[in-house]
Amino acid sequence: LCKSDQACVASTLQCAAVTKGCSPTCETGKACVADKCELILDATKIDAYPEAIGDNLAMASGPNGLGLVYYDRPKGNLVQVRQQAGKWQPAVVLDGQSSSSPPKDTGNVGSGASLLIDSKGDWHVSYVSVDAKALRYMLVTGGTQAQSYELVDDGTAANGKSFTDGHHWLDDTNMAVSSMGELRIAYQDGTSGQLRMAVG
């Protein structure tokens, strides 16, 4: 998306002016920026997810107001934002980094996020660990107390049979609660091109 006289620098994800002071000239996949050869992202780059905050946004309404969960792709985090008394509260990382100071990266998670808020105000969140290619579920009690995630599907088997073609890529989750109180998560098996459902 950079202008014709600019290049997207991979380390900063920012457009920068291309200069002519590099000697020798930069190799393929690099551009001269501030008279230094920098790795760039050009039209040949293919990425499943854009480097953006707010990918896979899911919104739900509950007894305490609206709630949002989304995938912060640059940081690889699952993020929660909630409304309280008509005001939006600061964003909270549910998974992908520790709550310690300074926070530690715990993996690239949050793609395919889905949110359901029940009548008690508890949040039910399904999402995918991009690193592990696995489906996760998390309960956020009252919308404020995140519990440890539960592994729903690790991408290695279905119906009790291991896949013969390796680890399957899972994504695009969606949740509903049945009249019997069962939590149902529909999700995509991108490797086999099938829709799957987990019940809990």
Side-chain angles (χ1 to χ4, degrees), residues 48-58 69-74 110-113:
Y49 300 99
E51 291 287 342
I53 297 170
D55 290 350
N56 304 125
L57 176 70
V69 291
Y70 61 86
Y71 178 36
D72 180 340
R73 171 72 170 100
S111 76

Side-chain angles (χ1 to χ4, degrees), residues 46-106:
I46 298 173
D47 198 346
Y49 300 99
E51 291 287 342
I53 297 170
D55 290 350
N56 304 125
L57 176 70
M59 181 171 68
S61 180
N64 300 317
L66 294 174
L68 297 170
V69 291
Y70 61 86
Y71 178 36
D72 180 340
R73 171 72 170 100
K75 293 183 179 176
N77 293 337
L78 175 69
V79 181
Q80 169 201 37
V81 183
R82 62 187 179 88
Q83 195 181 54
Q84 185 175 352
K87 293 184 180 178
W88 291 101
Q89 303 303 307
V92 174
V93 175
L94 295 177
D95 198 357
Q97 73 180 32
S98 69
S99 58
S100 60
S101 183
K104 294 180 182 173
D105 185 11
T106 59

Side-chain angles (χ1 to χ4, degrees), residues 143-166:
T144 59
Q145 298 294 319
Q147 309 300 313
S148 296
Y149 72 83
E150 297 176 34
L151 180 64
V152 177
D153 186 340
D154 68 0
T156 62
N159 303 319
K161 295 181 181 177
S162 296
F163 297 129
T164 58
D165 57 351

Side-chain angles (χ1 to χ4, degrees), residues 141-198:
T141 308
T144 59
Q145 298 294 319
Q147 309 300 313
S148 296
Y149 72 83
E150 297 176 34
L151 180 64
V152 177
D153 186 340
D154 68 0
T156 62
N159 303 319
K161 295 181 181 177
S162 296
F163 297 129
T164 58
D165 57 351
H167 202 151
H168 283 208
W169 184 274
L170 309 176
D171 209 356
D172 298 327
T173 75
N174 203 332
M175 286 188 297
V177 176
S178 73
S179 59
M180 301 296 290
E182 294 175 328
L183 182 64
R184 300 185 180 195
I185 305 174
Y187 58 102
Q188 177 192 42
D189 180 334
T191 304
S192 65
Q194 294 181 324
L195 178 66
R196 301 198 181 281
M197 182 176 291

Side-chain angles (χ1 to χ4, degrees), residues 2 6-17 31 33 38-41:
C2 299
Q6 296 179 327
C8 181
V9 179
S11 61
T12 63
L13 300 178
Q14 299 293 317
C15 294
V33 176
E38 294 279 0
L39 187 65
I40 62 168
L41 305 179

